[in-house]
Amino acid sequence: MTFGRREANMFSVDELKAGFKDIFGGEPFLVRAPGRVNLIGEHTDYNDGFIMPAALEYETRAAVAPRADRILRVHSTKIGVTKEFDLDDPAPQPKHDWTDYVFGVAVALAGAGKRLKGADIMIASSVPFGSGLSSSAALEVSIGYSLLTVAGLPIDTVELAKLCQKAENEFVGMRCGIMDQFISCNGQHDHALMIDCRSLEKRSVPIDPRARIVVANSMVHHELASGEYNKRRASCEEAVRLLAPALGPIKALRDVTPTDLEANKALLSEVTYRRARHIVTENERVIEAAEALAAGDLARCGALMNLSHASMRDDYEISCDEVDVLVDIAQKQSGVFGSRMTGGGFGGCTVSLVEAGAVESFMENVKAAYETATGLKSTIFACSPQQGVGPLAG
């Protein structure tokens, strides 16, 4: 049996077990960790702000078995290669490829005092790479959960999320916030989570059954994403530094209100001001959107999603032509409450809130109009929020 590349289709339990036996031998246990879609609250997480993501059906699956030594071997079904890592390496260095997400988690866990054991792990993922649905966090969380399970250590999902974020920040070099890892660890079925990224307090927000979440992939991924992401974070930190003398001991843009920002606009460059304006207004939109969803006010939640996209496009400048076209098409459809870009930016996916009875026509119309406008065939699917990381039955 040969297990090579597969992009979007999920490996079944039987395929995972058979593939693991073919590569490593033995009988594995199975783990799943979901990707995520963010309903609203983009780039607010690393500003100590508010976010409202949900875990997805798309997920990373891992087949895992312990080893008697201190070697970690990982096989990627996506690219058909196996890599090896020594847990006793005194000075592990990034390789600047996909293995950094794996071995970086092992380094972060060990650095937190977790005594790990060797393991063989085969990973398969249905989370599309570069889509903004957080394939990297799903991979990190599945590896972290697997390693802790092999070592017989207790698993605190909030701590696991923090350590996976640490791996991506320090070993991979991507200065992401906590959102992706947190929702992959702590997602709740049929609910989004409204998360305070400073305290990590979370509140379940039910998704009204009158509406469905629809995700559309623009099928573009601009290579600007990583470098521009880090630049946006630096701009936010610069805004805090420049505003602090006027506003007092603020730690992050979370501590700045829109009124504060407007009153002190002259302290900032035009670009830094616009970056900050996105963050401070987005935080308010998240809070209001959570209240709207809880009250069943789908129209208000959708309107806030539309405003969020305009802010990301014009103030934070993280959208792109193709995503703007996709959002514009979606916002004009019958039965849609709201639509926006989701994820880090410069391509990837959009998220729409759509009347349940209009979902099929919405997806057909958006797919056809987007292909006519761009020549690209979008992958579109309706989804229900899922549970966070855990054992995969079977």
Side-chain angles (χ1 to χ4, degrees), residues 337-357:
F337 296 107
S339 186
R340 62 186 285 277
M341 186 204 84
T342 187
F346 308 100
C349 289
T350 65
V351 58
S352 303
L353 196 63
V354 183
E355 287 180 6

Side-chain angles (χ1 to χ4, degrees), residues 205-267:
V205 181
I207 303 299
D208 193 306
R210 293 175 298 153
R212 296 292 305 280
I213 298 170
V214 179
V215 177
N217 193 338
S218 69
M219 311 307 289
V220 297
H221 175 58
H222 295 288
E223 294 303 323
L224 291 169
S226 179
E228 291 296 324
Y229 191 107
N230 290 344
K231 288 180 183 177
R232 296 303 182 279
R233 183 160 184 167
S235 288
C236 294
E237 292 166 351
E238 174 75 353
V240 170
R241 185 183 69 80
L242 293 172
L243 290 169
L247 298 179
I250 58 174
K251 295 181 179 179
L253 286 175
R254 153 71 173 274
D255 302 313
V256 180
T257 68
T259 301
D260 290 334
L261 181 63
E262 292 304 316
N264 294 281
K265 178 180 177 180
L267 298 174

Side-chain angles (χ1 to χ4, degrees), residues 176-345:
C176 64
I178 191 67
M179 174 173 61
D180 297 351
Q181 294 84 3
F182 193 92
I183 190 65
S184 189
C185 284
N186 297 284
Q188 293 184 14
H189 194 263
D190 287 337
H191 290 73
L193 289 186
M194 200 276 214
I195 303 166
D196 180 335
C197 293
R198 172 167 287 168
S199 67
L200 295 185
E201 293 179 1
K202 61 184 186 294
R203 175 161 62 92
S204 299
V205 181
I207 303 299
D208 193 306
R210 293 175 298 153
R212 296 292 305 280
I213 298 170
V214 179
V215 177
N217 193 338
S218 69
M219 311 307 289
V220 297
H221 175 58
H222 295 288
E223 294 303 323
L224 291 169
S226 179
E228 291 296 324
Y229 191 107
N230 290 344
K231 288 180 183 177
R232 296 303 182 279
R233 183 160 184 167
S235 288
C236 294
E237 292 166 351
E238 174 75 353
V240 170
R241 185 183 69 80
L242 293 172
L243 290 169
L247 298 179
I250 58 174
K251 295 181 179 179
L253 286 175
R254 153 71 173 274
D255 302 313
V256 180
T257 68
T259 301
D260 290 334
L261 181 63
E262 292 304 316
N264 294 281
K265 178 180 177 180
L267 298 174
L268 309 177
S269 70
E270 175 62 21
V271 170
T272 302
Y273 163 71
R274 286 190 290 106
R275 302 295 187 253
R277 183 169 62 181
H278 166 70
I279 300 301
V280 300
T281 58
E282 186 81 343
N283 276 326
E284 295 207 335
R285 284 188 288 268
V286 176
I287 294 168
E288 189 175 346
E291 293 171 350
L293 270 185
D297 190 346
L298 296 169
R300 183 55 186 158
C301 183
L304 291 161
M305 292 170 69
N306 292 343
L307 289 171
S308 173
H309 183 77
S311 181
M312 290 186 288
R313 180 192 64 212
D314 301 333
D315 277 354
Y316 223 58
E317 296 180 291
I318 53 172
S319 190
C320 63
D321 291 343
E322 298 92 343
V323 168
D324 289 341
V325 167
L326 190 53
V327 167
D328 183 60
I329 291 169
Q331 289 178 351
K332 293 175 179 176
Q333 298 303 309
S334 175
V336 69
F337 296 107
S339 186
R340 62 186 285 277
M341 186 204 84
T342 187

Side-chain angles (χ1 to χ4, degrees), residues 123-135:
I123 53 175
S125 181
S126 62
V127 187
F129 176 75
S131 63
L133 301 180
S134 199
S135 58

